[in-house]
Amino acid sequence: MDDVDWQRLIDQLHRGDCTPFLGAGACAGTLPTGAALSNRYALHYGYPFSDPGNLARVMQYGAAVVRDPVDLKEGVCRLLRSHGGPAPGDPEEPHRLLAGFPVTTFLTTNYDDFLAEALRAEGKEPHVAVSPWWEADPAAAPALPEPTVDRPLVYHLHGSWSEPASLVLTEADYLTYLVNMVDVVATGGRHPLPTPILRAMTARPLLFIGYSLQDWTFRVLFHGLMRGTPRSNKRRHVSVQLMPEINGSASDAERKARRYIAHYLDGWNISIFLGTASEFCAELRRRMGRTP
């Protein structure tokens, strides 16, 4: 990100012309990472394969052991809730910082309720909704209310820990999600995302926090959305990215990795900030003049 990117993002946040899109990295330091959670359950269930850090596969194996995927998800929700929430009073905590802007729609693939709680702390009354991804026709779900600044919409694309059965967790869940949420678009059916969500994703610039945009399930969804947006209307997005693990034996690996990420995401019209969510929020506050 350069100075132009920062100023554009700050202006957009101040007028609410932005849609935050939060992933697991937004909860770093509060909830366990996907890899840590995967390794924990791999040990618990005696996962026999060589990829104990692959959460979807480990959970698919766990579901086979438990013989009840909803019971497995109930246990995951209890474990995540036991970690508590973000530290109160931290001005650089992503949920708290974003909740202070006049944004009407927030999207997340996280299971937690941290966004809704942060919005309530700001005196707002969020409407929380969960994608019915498991339905054969998710587009048939009840319509959502039109979001406002005082009553923003928080939409969970991959389920919520308040409804354990809604979690996209196992390999089978991810396959069902892709079939029901993406194939309907490819075949010309009604879009599975509610109108307010679709509008927030296609008409406003997106602020991704806590994602690797190289994740294949996310790439499919994002490409599908962007393909349907006229070129003249495409906005410039921002993504907060952690540097992926690099090959230490490769010559000049970090510089090559940075160049590749910048080139890859620029093709999606995305400016990048390489760092943690907290580091991004600290820099955003500094540039807005909110440093203590």
Side-chain angles (χ1 to χ4, degrees), residues 181-223:
M181 296 294 289
V182 178
D183 278 7
V184 66
V185 179
T187 57
R190 290 173 57 196
H191 203 288
L193 293 174
T195 299
I197 302 304
L198 191 60
R199 187 187 311 122
M201 293 182 74
T202 57
R204 297 193 186 110
L206 303 174
L207 171 58
F208 302 104
I209 299 181
Y211 284 103
S212 168
L213 295 190
Q214 297 174 42
D215 175 81
W216 65 278
T217 57
F218 188 80
R219 284 208 310 265
V220 171
L221 180 59
F222 187 79
H223 272 299

Side-chain angles (χ1 to χ4, degrees), residues 96-193:
R96 178 182 177 185
L97 181 59
L98 292 171
F101 293 106
V103 171
T104 60
T105 305
F106 297 82
L107 309 177
T108 181
T109 50
N110 295 338
Y111 310 140
D112 60 79
D113 61 0
F114 299 159
L115 264 175
E117 289 302 314
L119 289 164
R120 292 185 185 105
E122 289 288 331
K124 301 176 183 180
E125 300 178 16
H127 178 86
V128 179
V130 178
S131 166
W133 58 268
W134 58 90
E135 300 287 353
D137 181 12
L144 296 177
E146 195 64 30
T148 66
V149 173
D150 293 329
R151 295 186 175 183
L153 176 60
V154 177
Y155 196 73
H156 289 263
L157 285 158
H158 283 184
S160 166
W161 66 19
S162 64
E163 301 177 34
S166 71
L167 268 57
V168 180
L169 184 64
T170 67
E171 274 192 327
D173 293 336
Y174 280 98
L175 289 171
T176 301
Y177 181 89
L178 286 177
V179 169
N180 290 348
M181 296 294 289
V182 178
D183 278 7
V184 66
V185 179
T187 57
R190 290 173 57 196
H191 203 288
L193 293 174

